[in-house]
Amino acid sequence: LAVIPQTFKVDIPQELARQVESCKDDREVEQVGVQWCIRQCRELMEYGVPSIHFYAMGATESIAQVAKEIYG
């Protein structure tokens, strides 16, 4: 978890960090990330963002799940 902020120069919200740290395996971590992404995308869309670009880093299944949730 600590490598992500250093590599991508981002901050991770404490709530997200706590949820990830409580996960038992990588699949749970992935689902936490998917749910956070869905929430963020919906919030952006509520504010009128015209489009969203996903940088998937090979996580195409996760992005497909997010897209299905936000675009129907």
Side-chain angles (χ1 to χ4, degrees), residues 37-58:
C37 186
I38 290 168
R39 278 200 322 242
Q40 289 178 328
C41 289
R42 286 185 175 149
E43 185 177 325
L44 288 167
M45 293 168 77
E46 287 174 12
Y47 282 96
V49 171
S51 65
I52 299 172
H53 174 82
F54 298 100
Y55 183 67
M57 295 176 50

Side-chain angles (χ1 to χ4, degrees), residues 4-70:
I4 292 172
Q6 293 170 353
T7 302
F8 296 102
K9 310 291 188 251
V10 297
D11 293 324
I12 295 178
Q14 285 296 95
E15 181 184 347
L16 174 58
R18 280 192 295 273
Q19 286 182 11
V20 167
E21 289 169 352
S22 71
C23 291
K24 294 177 181 73
D25 56 36
D26 288 345
R27 183 68 182 150
E28 283 187 24
V29 171
E30 180 180 350
Q31 286 308 303
V32 166
V34 166
Q35 293 306 311
W36 270 76
C37 186
I38 290 168
R39 278 200 322 242
Q40 289 178 328
C41 289
R42 286 185 175 149
E43 185 177 325
L44 288 167
M45 293 168 77
E46 287 174 12
Y47 282 96
V49 171
S51 65
I52 299 172
H53 174 82
F54 298 100
Y55 183 67
M57 295 176 50
T60 55
E61 288 181 33
S62 297
I63 297 306
Q65 186 178 350
V66 170
K68 183 177 179 180
E69 286 288 324
I70 64 172

